[in-house]
Amino acid sequence: DASKVCAAVLYLPEHLRAATGDDVMDPTVPKVLELRYLRRFSGDQFRIISRWSISMNGLMSASTEADLKVFNPFYQSVSHGDCYTLSYDPTSGRSTLALNGQELGSIEGAEFSR
């Protein structure tokens, strides 16, 4: 079924009571987003949809644009069953992308964690 794209899980600290999206987007909160894909996507498709999603959610800024230029090349093509993990560590201020457990790269900046 082409409409099924991925299964997604967002992990937050146990003690966090995330009542709103702002609670989740808080750059002081560590988080891990895991996306297990149910079909193929090219790296280029990820780059296009990332820019579009950030822009459509009103999160695009000059800083985010600069971060995307660094981050978007990390994306690789995926097949059914592949898993991207995007993690954010507020202590280091780094967002890290991994594919099937292998780190592809990371970027500094609390704004990008949103």
Side-chain angles (χ1 to χ4, degrees), residues 51 54-55 59-72 107 111-112:
R51 179 177 302 288
I54 290 168
S55 180
L59 301 172
M60 190 62 78
S61 67
S63 173
T64 304
E65 181 74 36
D67 288 344
L68 274 176
K69 286 182 182 176
V70 174
F71 195 84
N72 269 351
I107 189 165
E111 184 176 342
F112 198 72

Side-chain angles (χ1 to χ4, degrees), residues 70-86:
V70 174
F71 195 84
N72 269 351
F74 300 154
Y75 286 118
Q76 297 179 10
S77 297
V78 299
S79 296
H80 184 275
D82 284 341
C83 183
Y84 265 130
T85 305
L86 179 60

Side-chain angles (χ1 to χ4, degrees), residues 8-93:
V9 179
L10 177 63
Y11 297 97
L12 299 170
E14 271 188 55
H15 67 276
L16 180 69
R17 292 182 182 220
T20 69
D22 287 337
D23 294 337
V24 173
M25 305 269 282
D26 182 343
T28 66
V29 173
K31 52 198 88 131
V32 176
L33 177 62
E34 190 175 275
L35 301 163
R36 186 159 308 274
Y37 289 90
L38 305 174
R39 65 187 200 93
R40 298 178 139 207
F41 286 97
S42 71
D44 284 340
Q45 287 174 302
F46 282 110
R47 287 183 270 284
I48 291 166
I49 200 67
S50 292
R51 179 177 302 288
W52 179 84
S53 296
I54 290 168
S55 180
M56 293 304 292
N57 283 295
L59 301 172
M60 190 62 78
S61 67
S63 173
T64 304
E65 181 74 36
D67 288 344
L68 274 176
K69 286 182 182 176
V70 174
F71 195 84
N72 269 351
F74 300 154
Y75 286 118
Q76 297 179 10
S77 297
V78 299
S79 296
H80 184 275
D82 284 341
C83 183
Y84 265 130
T85 305
L86 179 60
S87 57
Y88 174 68
D89 176 9
T91 304
S92 68

